[in-house]
Amino acid sequence: TPQQWLEQENVVPDFSCQTDEHARNLDFIHRQSSEADIYFVRNKSSLPVRTDCFFRVKKQMPELWDPTDGSMKPHFMYSTVEEGILVNLDLPPGGSVFVVFRREAKKNTIKSLVREGDKNITLYPAREIVEMDQSSAIIRCWQNGTYTLTTSRGKKKQFEVRNLAASIELNRDWKVEFNPEWGAPAEVILPRLISWTDHQDEGIKYYSGAGMYSKTVEIPEGWLASDRSVHLDLGEVGEVAEVFVNGESAGVLWKKPYRTDLSSLLRPGKNQLKVEVMNMWINRLAGDKKLPADERYTRSNIRADGGTWLENWEEWTVQPAGLIGPVRMLPSVKVSVGIKAK
């Protein structure tokens, strides 16, 4: 077979995942231009994947090109092996990335970066190497603890993060405004975040449209120092959200992780936080099935055989909606670590 012949000729795979539990969740395609090797890697699963991947490319440095926002960043966590390069990738559920090789590899890179006692590594964003040269690396960290950095030359460097504040949870006492023309009350106070479909008010349970969540958040002054950042993580959202801080948009979030950087918009003290969430119209359709024809909110040209558009569509059921959470404000800090070989 072709596979047997390639193995006989000692031709290694073009791409492979180094962790067995993630291997079946990753798919790839590879093409070459006159200037670069371009891999597109996608996570087919509904679970996050954080693992090392092998690329059959020699003496080249990886860049990560994000198809969702157009960013193109050098990636410093990789190491050269006999037949290619091992690159550490962090992909959210359903996430994808272009891994592009078009520049000469650096002589000293970071092979791994581990925090002592890590258990649930998906609870916080991955540690990020923001900048790096041959003598030092600037690393963004999200948790206190002891970290061990290993370079491609085998040098180990330990460093401590001790003064990073704990995250703030924002799961209670949200005011939510609805459009009452679609069956919901104009405003409610949610003692805790839940899916609209779990609310006792049927106007909210079957609501489809926009809901504006709002609350005031207190930000300590130390969170906004020059080496600090603050991100908002919305947890679960049904389906898309736009975040506003003090009247300014912090972006539209339409996929996992529902997370955005608020650093440039926050100020010390009180901040007004709003999250506008839009769900799918199937919830209102499901609610209209229960109503007399003259009380329905929706119309559609979709028809079931031999009846009106609402008859016999048992598969139309409500889907989780709104800001479900958990919602967290996540502070991070940049740490400079020396990596120069002696």
Side-chain angles (χ1 to χ4, degrees):
T1 66
Q3 179 70 28
Q4 291 170 330
W5 184 86
L6 289 168
E7 291 174 354
Q8 176 181 291
E9 296 298 312
N10 296 316
V11 179
V12 300
D14 188 26
F15 169 88
S16 63
C17 175
Q18 301 300 289
T19 308
D20 290 342
E21 65 178 297
H22 295 317
R24 64 180 180 273
N25 296 331
L26 294 184
D27 195 7
F28 86 103
I29 192 169
H30 173 205
R31 71 179 180 91
Q32 290 178 311
S33 71
S34 60
E35 299 177 348
D37 279 273
I38 304 163
Y39 290 79
F40 181 72
V41 183
R42 67 166 180 149
N43 177 7
K44 300 182 292 183
S45 76
S46 58
L47 299 173
V49 169
R50 191 176 296 176
T51 185
D52 285 332
C53 294
F54 170 84
F55 296 84
R56 196 176 61 202
V57 176
K58 293 188 176 181
K59 299 181 180 180
Q60 296 289 302
M61 176 182 177
E63 299 175 21
L64 300 187
W65 295 13
D66 190 334
T68 64
D69 62 14
S71 62
M72 298 180 288
K73 300 177 181 178
H75 189 56
F76 301 106
M77 196 174 296
Y78 69 96
S79 58
T80 300
V81 292
E82 183 177 355
E83 297 293 339
I85 293 177
L86 286 178
V87 181
N88 185 267
L89 293 183
D90 179 55
L91 292 173
S96 59
V97 68
F98 289 96
V99 185
V100 179
F101 298 88
R102 59 173 181 163
R103 298 177 181 176
E104 185 177 353
K106 293 181 177 295
K107 294 181 180 180
N108 194 22
T109 65
I110 294 177
K111 183 178 180 179
S112 65
L113 177 59
V114 179
R115 177 179 170 271
E116 189 176 293
D118 261 354
K119 293 182 179 179
N120 187 356
I121 63 173
T122 62
L123 188 60
Y124 290 88
R127 276 86 67 177
E128 178 187 5
I129 303 167
V130 181
E131 297 177 32
M132 181 177 168
D133 56 29
Q134 292 303 301
S135 61
S136 65
I138 297 177
I139 302 168
R140 186 192 307 277
C141 298
W142 302 86
Q143 294 174 275
N144 290 319
T146 301
Y147 293 79
T148 301
L149 179 153
T150 304
T151 71
S152 58
R153 293 174 173 173
K155 180 183 178 182
K156 292 185 182 292
K157 176 77 174 183
Q158 277 198 340
F159 63 95
E160 302 279 338
V161 176
R162 291 299 179 204
N163 59 350
L164 189 58
S167 60
I168 297 177
E169 294 198 356
L170 305 173
N171 298 315
R172 296 187 175 276
D173 302 323
W174 285 85
K175 182 177 78 170
V176 189
E177 299 171 79
F178 298 99
N179 183 351
E181 294 182 3
W182 290 94
E187 179 184 305
V188 296
I189 300 295
L190 291 181
R192 61 182 180 87
L193 289 175
I194 58 172
S195 170
W196 296 343
T197 56
D198 292 330
H199 202 280
Q200 61 184 4
D201 187 318
E202 291 203 347
I204 298 177
K205 179 177 182 178
Y206 295 113
Y207 180 79
S208 289
M212 180 65 81
Y213 290 72
S214 61
K215 72 184 293 104
T216 299
V217 181
E218 188 88 18
I219 298 297
E221 185 171 358
W223 281 34
L224 303 177
S226 59
D227 62 343
R228 309 278 169 143
S229 296
V230 182
H231 285 65
L232 178 69
D233 190 309
L234 298 182
E236 293 291 330
V237 175
E239 294 289 322
V240 297
E242 183 170 10
V243 176
F244 299 88
V245 177
N246 300 320
E248 298 289 332
S249 176
V252 175
L253 306 178
W254 55 274
K255 65 175 185 65
K256 293 181 179 181
Y258 294 93
R259 185 184 302 135
T260 186
D261 189 347
L262 306 184
S263 306
S264 64
L265 300 177
L266 291 170
R267 55 190 179 225
K270 296 185 182 298
N271 292 260
Q272 185 63 28
L273 177 62
K274 292 187 176 183
V275 182
E276 185 177 35
V277 180
M278 184 79 72
N279 70 328
M280 300 186 295
W281 81 313
I282 194 172
N283 288 9
R284 187 63 266 169
L285 291 173
D288 280 7
K289 289 196 303 182
K290 302 171 58 176
L291 298 177
D294 60 347
E295 295 182 18
R296 295 169 184 163
Y297 293 87
T298 56
R299 293 185 300 167
S300 173
N301 61 357
I302 301 173
R303 295 177 60 86
D305 291 342
T308 69
W309 66 278
L310 281 174
E311 292 177 355
N312 305 322
W313 289 84
E314 295 300 327
E315 69 272 24
W316 288 5
T317 58
V318 293
Q319 301 297 312
L323 183 55
I324 302 169
V327 176
R328 297 176 298 154
M329 298 284 266
L330 301 176
S332 64
V333 62
K334 291 180 182 178
V335 180
S336 181
V337 180
I339 60 170
K340 187 174 183 179
K342 294 183 179 179

